[in-house]
Amino acid sequence: MPQDADLGDWARIAPLFDQLEKRAPELKTADDLQAWLMDWSELNAALDEESSRRYIAMTCHTDDAGAEKAYLHFVENIEPQLKPRQFTLEQNYTAHPLRRQLPSERFAVFDRDVKNHVELFRPESVSLETEEAKLSQQYQKLTGSLTVNFRGEEKTLVQMGRYLEETDRPLRQEAWELVAKRRLQEADNFDDIFDRQIALRAQISKNASFENYRDYAFRRLGRFDYTPDDCAKFHDAVEKEIVPIARELQAQRRQQLKLDSLRPWDLAVDPLNRPPLKPFAQTGEMVSRTQKIFNRLDTELAGGFQQMQDLKLLDLDNRKGKAPGGYQSTLAESRLPFIFMNAVGLQRDVETILHEAGHAFHALATRAEDLYPYRSAPIEFCEVASMSMELLGNEFIEEFYSTDDARRARRVHLEGVVGVFPWIATVDAFQHWIYTHPGHNREGRRKAWIALMDRFGGDVDWSGFENARANLWHRQLHIFIHPFYYIEYGIAELGALQVWANSKRDKARALNDYKKSLALGGSRPLPELFSTAGCQFEFSARTIQPLAGMLREELAKL
Ligand SMILES: [Zn+2]
């Protein structure tokens, strides 16, 4: 890369792609091909970092019109031009006669992924994918536009979420019902969008010669190491091993709240009606206490977090002029992580900083890897890095709390872990049903969803709100926008729980394996990333049963 390359100017970027394309047929040896791959890799890393820097600048300063303009310029004028140029280079690579002479072990994953991408491409599907993206945008626009009038004030549905934590039950019910009714008014619109999406997806999979969209999506998502049958085993194991724990927790909650039955608006409030946990007042305190947790956990990881502070790679406090939410982003060419969040002093913030720090440790661990695509792992393993750090960090959460509050914080976290599995199984099983039942009608789809809610939904009394329950999937964005992408979180949580279980037996060894697996980045297939971390890549009852036992035991202690 030239030192002064302006990566916001397509006229300056295009010649770099021209050079790579021109060089491809002139390469004489496997070493030449490797050098060519490294140059392509560096170009991609630089472009990735340019995009990340612009995104970070915009989200940190939403009131800076220049920052927004610079980001949109990249999205609208650079990214669309990149796609076809990248695809040509991918074809140059897969068709290259020297490709088979590359060191096979080293390039196996890269080769598999590029070949997969090239093989799936169908020019006749490009316009269908554009159509699909427009419908996704329609879904987001519709969801984002919904508001309700709550006690004289207009509120977004996200803003309404916090009332479900209020101890005043009639107020919770009022807030919940208002939101449920507002969503139901749009039920037909959600179904319209979805019917059009699944029709497009059926055609896209047919164009690529797949029997159904499920099989196509598995290939498209690079699921080389697990099958639809493995997912079905996950669903069964969650039903058998996890749902009973979720029901026990619900029964406890019902008793603590002194209710005859749990209603949908009783699930987020503290069951003992206590005020929210207050882990810290200032963001600076959050950072120094998190640092102390890492100091106690592992010297190397602690050094990484300290380095992020020294290099100002954290923007954590909530302030005016900042986008909502939290994320970890990697500056791909500098090979450094960045964490963004909006801390306001809640337990949720502690979970977020531990989680995002896990992603940051992953980025730091892969700094020595020169092949850009290998500096990131598949999502099924990225979330092992982050979710493990929530569990391992929680061991020292007394840095934030008194003994009693620490126990409460751990319990809230573990209840969340238990609760997420049944929902993941529901969302995943629903999508398997949808894409293997082509030509189904809305009534059939509704019945399939209700059956899954009966199977995984636990003991919540929905009487009087059956229609809201039957349409609950409308609020799960992934079903509309990222089809089939969801079970990844369940697979990763199983990995994280195994890392945690290992650390209870032998902390030093578990942390060593964890760090070793992070350092592999995406250079090895998923089962090897998991085994290096000391985990099985397997999600049937064989793996889930002992983890469910551990969860039950840990919850009993809290
Ligand atoms: Zn994450």
Side-chain angles (χ1 to χ4, degrees), residues 81-136:
Q81 314 248 38
L82 289 176
K83 259 196 178 169
R85 301 303 302 261
Q86 296 284 19
F87 190 68
T88 305
L89 293 179
E90 287 178 359
Q91 285 174 310
N92 289 343
Y93 168 75
T94 48
H96 208 283
L98 291 168
R99 177 181 148 218
R100 308 239 172 250
Q101 292 177 35
L102 291 172
S104 57
E105 161 115 351
R106 166 73 177 150
F107 284 94
V109 173
F110 174 81
D111 192 82
R112 181 195 70 181
D113 292 350
V114 177
K115 187 168 150 263
N116 186 48
H117 194 222
V118 170
E119 279 176 0
L120 286 183
F121 180 76
R122 294 291 183 281
E124 64 270 31
S125 289
V126 172
S127 62
L128 303 177
E129 282 164 4
T130 310
E131 205 52 40
E132 196 192 2
K134 278 189 198 153
L135 288 164
S136 293

Side-chain angles (χ1 to χ4, degrees), residues 21 36 78 82 104 142 149 159 182 213 225 232 245 260 274 286 296 349 389 399 421-422 424-425 432 434 518 541:
E21 271 180 42
W36 182 84
I78 309 296
L82 289 176
S104 57
L142 177 59
N149 192 297
Q159 286 170 332
R182 185 66 193 88
Y213 183 76
D225 302 300
I245 307 179
D260 297 328
R274 292 165 295 190
M286 178 182 83
R296 291 172 69 182
D349 299 328
M389 207 33 66
E399 294 293 344
F421 281 112
I424 291 172
H432 282 261
I434 284 169
L518 262 53

Side-chain angles (χ1 to χ4, degrees), residues 355 359 383 386:
H355 180 98
H359 286 310
E383 295 297 323
S386 55

Side-chain angles (χ1 to χ4, degrees), residues 238-507:
V238 167
E239 182 185 11
K240 236 177 258 132
E241 308 294 338
I242 306 281
V243 170
I245 307 179
R247 285 179 186 265
E248 284 163 30
L249 292 173
Q250 285 169 339
Q252 281 175 25
R253 164 173 285 271
R254 181 172 53 73
Q255 282 159 9
Q256 286 172 324
L257 286 168
K258 301 187 176 60
L259 299 172
D260 297 328
S261 62
L262 278 186
R263 310 295 318 253
W265 48 87
D266 296 324
L267 306 176
V269 64
D270 180 71
L272 298 173
N273 286 335
R274 292 165 295 190
L277 288 164
K278 290 228 163 28
F280 58 91
Q282 305 290 332
T283 308
E285 278 175 80
M286 178 182 83
V287 173
S288 61
R289 289 172 186 185
T290 305
Q291 180 68 55
K292 281 186 188 155
I293 288 178
F294 294 140
N295 291 348
R296 291 172 69 182
L297 186 66
D298 181 84
T299 321
E300 196 181 340
L301 299 177
F305 194 69
Q306 184 60 53
Q307 191 190 14
M308 293 189 72
Q309 292 172 65
D310 297 343
L311 296 175
K312 308 216 177 316
L313 296 167
L314 305 170
D315 190 323
L316 307 178
D317 55 329
N318 174 260
R319 58 167 194 271
K320 199 169 166 279
K322 208 171 151 179
Y327 63 81
Q328 185 272 332
S329 170
T330 300
L331 304 172
E333 199 183 19
S334 319
R335 308 186 187 182
L336 286 169
F338 176 85
I339 299 177
F340 173 98
M341 64 182 276
N342 280 281
V344 290
L346 298 172
Q347 162 58 17
R348 199 179 305 137
D349 299 328
V350 179
E351 289 179 16
T352 302
I353 188 68
L354 291 173
H355 180 98
E356 303 304 342
H359 286 310
F361 295 148
H362 208 172
L364 287 171
T366 62
R367 289 199 82 197
E369 170 62 63
D370 286 326
L371 193 64
Y372 159 72
Y374 281 179
R375 288 203 290 277
S376 47
I379 190 82
E380 289 91 343
F381 194 70
C382 287
E383 295 297 323
V384 175
S386 55
M387 290 169 170
S388 298
M389 207 33 66
E390 293 177 34
L391 291 160
L392 296 172
N394 267 351
E395 299 273 325
F396 304 107
I397 209 164
E398 278 82 359
E399 294 293 344
F400 282 98
Y401 294 116
S402 67
T403 312
D404 280 352
D405 280 355
R407 196 177 295 145
R408 180 176 160 199
R410 288 195 186 106
R411 189 176 172 92
V412 169
H413 183 251
L414 285 191
E415 284 188 359
V417 171
V418 170
V420 79
F421 281 112
W423 182 249
I424 291 172
T426 309
V427 170
D428 190 59
F430 184 53
Q431 298 193 80
H432 282 261
W433 185 90
I434 284 169
Y435 295 105
T436 53
H437 290 76
H440 66 258
N441 60 23
R442 286 182 191 182
E443 192 42 38
R445 186 156 76 211
R446 182 187 165 92
K447 282 192 179 135
W449 174 259
I450 292 172
L452 289 167
M453 285 294 290
D454 290 342
R455 186 177 167 199
F456 296 108
D459 290 318
V460 179
D461 177 5
W462 286 78
S463 49
F465 302 97
E466 288 78 4
N467 219 1
R469 184 173 183 255
N471 289 294
L472 207 59
W473 62 275
H474 286 166
R475 68 176 190 193
Q476 188 62 53
L477 150 154
H478 297 72
I479 296 172
F480 292 82
I481 296 185
H482 306 292
F484 279 100
Y485 167 43
Y486 208 57
I487 196 170
E488 284 84 345
Y489 292 97
I491 295 170
E493 191 74 80
L494 291 180
L497 288 169
Q498 291 178 76
V499 170
W500 192 38
N502 293 344
S503 83
K504 288 177 182 298
R505 283 189 290 269
D506 183 343
K507 180 163 265 155

